[in-house]
């Protein structure tokens, strides 16, 4: 039988991603490497520079996200209800959240995070997310 995936996100605890960013894992796929999360970002939080090693898409549920410095600097400012697609290989400098923001995010592969000097830092993939989820459950138990 083919089974649906269903999660009630309001019943799930936020897990700490770091630097003012929390997340909930909605789905991971070992077969394809795809993963889907909710991100909750505090006012002033930011993702470090990163390279998408698979296309990704987002929907801003509430708040404001500035990609590449935001619209004022030639980048993107995504607000509540806005959708975006980030193609495989795209390099993003800091992604900044000037107000409390929540977004739905799916990535069809890994994301390589870089240091502020654009040196490789770590790779976020489905396996790392699953491990973060397991260790959070152990801490809660
Ligand atoms: Zn990005």
């Amino acid at each position: 039988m083919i089974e649906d995936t269903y999660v009630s996100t309001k019943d799930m605890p936020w897990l700490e991603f770091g630097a003012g960013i929390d997340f909930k894992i909605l789905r991971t796929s070992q077969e394809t490497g795809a993963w889907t999360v909710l991100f909750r970002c505090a006012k002033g939080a930011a993702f470090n520079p990163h390279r998408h090693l698979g296309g990704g898409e987002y929907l801003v549920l509430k708040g404001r996200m500035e990609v590449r410095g935001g619209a004022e600097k030639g980048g993107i400012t995504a607000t509540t209800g806005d959708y975006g697609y980030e193609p495989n290989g795209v390099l993003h400098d800091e992604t900044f959240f000037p107000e409390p923001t929540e977004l739905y995010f799916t990535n069809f592969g890994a994301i390589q995070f870089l240091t502020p000097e654009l040196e490789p830092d770590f790779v976020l993939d489905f396996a790392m997310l699953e491990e973060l989820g397991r260790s959070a459950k152990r801490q809660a138990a």
Side-chain angles (χ1 to χ4, degrees), residues 115-136:
T115 67
E117 294 76 33
L118 302 184
E119 297 293 329
D121 189 2
F122 68 94
V123 171
L124 178 66
D125 66 357
F126 81 94
M128 183 179 179
L129 283 164
E130 288 177 357
E131 180 52 36
L132 286 170
R134 280 193 295 271
S135 63

Side-chain angles (χ1 to χ4, degrees), residues 50 52 86 90 92 95:
H50 56 273
H52 290 256
E86 306 183 319
V90 75
H92 284 144
T95 299

Side-chain angles (χ1 to χ4, degrees), residues 87-105:
N88 183 18
V90 75
L91 177 65
H92 284 144
D93 58 10
E94 187 183 83
T95 299
F96 182 68
F97 301 92
E99 57 187 72
T101 301
E102 287 184 25
L103 65 145
Y104 169 98
F105 182 73

